[in-house]
Amino acid sequence: MSIVIWADGRLCGVDDPVATAVDHGLTVGDGIFETCSVEGGRAFALTRHLRRLARSARGLGIAEPDEDAVRAGIDAVLATAGADVGRVRITVTAGPGPLGSNRAAAGSTRQTVLVLAGPAVRNEVSRAIRVPWVRNERSAVAGLKTTSYAENVVALAEAYRRGADEALLANTVGELCEGTGSNVLVERDGELVTPRLTSGCLAGITRELLLEWASADGLPVREARAGELAFEVLDEVFAGSGHLALAGSIRNVVPVVSLDQRDITAGEITLAARRLFEARSAENVDP
Ligand SMILES: Cc1ncc(COP(=O)(O)O)c(C=O)c1O
């Protein structure tokens, strides 16, 4: 299917202009976004995604987007998209601005709000590599889902170059942090453990739902304790004494079956977590 685009209250063609050349999202990455998977023609966990969109706006210091308008955009693109639609993407930028990093005076411009629907490829497993670049857990935008994703683009390109589909990053103090577009979980000693938010990782919706559902179901999935998940934990996984999982909106919960181009096995709790996520997400499209 092709991509369906909604901008400024109406559906547009792919070649229609939707933003000016001085849009601050385009010039300096001054924007925020969300990606939801689409299940049965509806955006999955939309309420949580919109909540995080508002949180990212506050963190960036731009106005919170009008939720009704964004929901209308989502309805419009999903009503038009074909049956094979797999994802919706919401992008909100600060709108037109100066050529430098300073913003236009508050209230002097309008935000750019775009909603897109498109296909998604969903893999049952993932292949990951370690990359030498780090997440800055003390960054001004740590934990926000901003459109400044060039670091992720570079790391993911490296992953693809090495036959993988995700790159894993440490933070500046050597803790395991996350992937370019996923949260990471380590399975060892009968538990599935994910880095704490203080590591600088995104508060992933998939991660959040898995933690809630696992806790309700008695599956041992939890956040790491302080100092528990150094990046070196991946050495253990690489050596075969642990397992890895990734969590993210298009992937859902998947085992990692290769690390740095060496096969690794899927863990039992990881597979149980994948089953649990599939079952619970099928019950309610907006949990
Ligand atoms: C950097 C990063 N971490 C984690 C995630 C997973 O978050 P979610 O489960 O909300 O998709 C994403 C999603 O794209 C991401 O971009």
Side-chain angles (χ1 to χ4, degrees), residues 49 52 135 145 149 178-183 202 204-206 247-249:
H49 281 279
R52 186 171 65 189
R135 276 278 187 271
K145 204 163 166 66
Y149 252 42
E178 65 179 344
T180 65
S182 61
N183 289 107
L202 186 74
I205 308 290
T206 317
S249 282

Side-chain angles (χ1 to χ4, degrees), residues 24-113:
H24 226 215
L26 202 55
T27 52
V28 296
D30 186 8
I32 54 176
F33 77 103
E34 285 294 325
T35 295
C36 307
S37 67
V38 173
E39 307 293 341
R42 293 182 59 197
F44 179 70
L46 181 57
T47 302
R48 289 184 196 240
H49 281 279
L50 291 176
R51 212 181 291 148
R52 186 171 65 189
L53 187 72
R55 206 162 66 228
S56 295
R58 291 195 296 276
L60 210 58
I62 64 174
E64 288 179 32
D66 177 351
E67 186 176 320
D68 291 341
V70 174
R71 282 183 183 273
I74 291 168
D75 289 346
V77 293
L78 290 181
T80 308
D84 59 341
V85 60
R87 66 202 291 161
V88 285
R89 152 123 187 179
I90 307 155
T91 307
V92 178
T93 81
L99 299 191
S101 295
N102 54 322
R103 282 197 186 117
S108 68
T109 56
R110 267 180 72 208
Q111 290 183 339
T112 303
V113 182

